[in-house]
Amino acid sequence: MILEQLVNDIPGFANWSHADTITFFAWYLHSKENRERFKPADIKACFVELGMHEPSAIAPFLAAMEKRKPRQLLRDSRGYALEKRVRDLLEAKYGRRDATAKADKLL
């Protein structure tokens, strides 16, 4: 699914905080682009793809997510990954299959 199509189905997405948007983009990279890990540049590319104003630096947002208790983000030598609990929550909320989303629109 193309990122733009996905965010167009989310009311008020353009008004989300940078922190929430970055979390969503991280989920998108895992769920829809099948990436095991991502880097700050991958998040920046999502902002650019949508033509959205991006924060001056993405790394501090990722660092804050990594330091939260409980952690929202994990990091290793390959990059960042959303913690399973966060990923599952976003998958339940936004990970509907294409056919279900199309049927909902028709209703």
Side-chain angles (χ1 to χ4, degrees), residues 3-24:
L3 179 58
E4 186 173 7
Q5 291 173 327
L6 186 59
V7 299
N8 284 343
D9 289 339
I10 301 172
F13 181 84
N15 299 318
W16 284 13
S17 69
H18 279 137
D20 289 340
T21 303
I22 288 168
T23 304
F24 178 84

Side-chain angles (χ1 to χ4, degrees), residues 19-82:
D20 289 340
T21 303
I22 288 168
T23 304
F24 178 84
F25 288 160
W27 167 79
Y28 168 80
L29 292 167
H30 285 310
S31 180
K32 304 303 180 187
E33 291 196 0
N34 298 315
R35 294 193 192 185
E36 191 175 317
R37 298 286 189 274
F38 63 89
K39 299 193 182 290
D42 300 319
I43 299 291
K44 178 181 172 121
C46 292
F47 279 100
V48 170
E49 180 180 336
L50 294 174
M52 292 179 68
H53 173 72
E54 63 197 67
S56 57
I58 292 170
F61 287 94
L62 299 178
M65 292 171 68
E66 187 180 3
K67 291 176 185 173
R68 277 197 188 116
K69 303 254 191 249
R71 284 186 174 192
Q72 291 185 329
L73 197 64
L74 307 172
R75 181 175 57 156
D76 63 21
S77 62
R78 297 175 293 157
Y80 293 94
L82 281 176

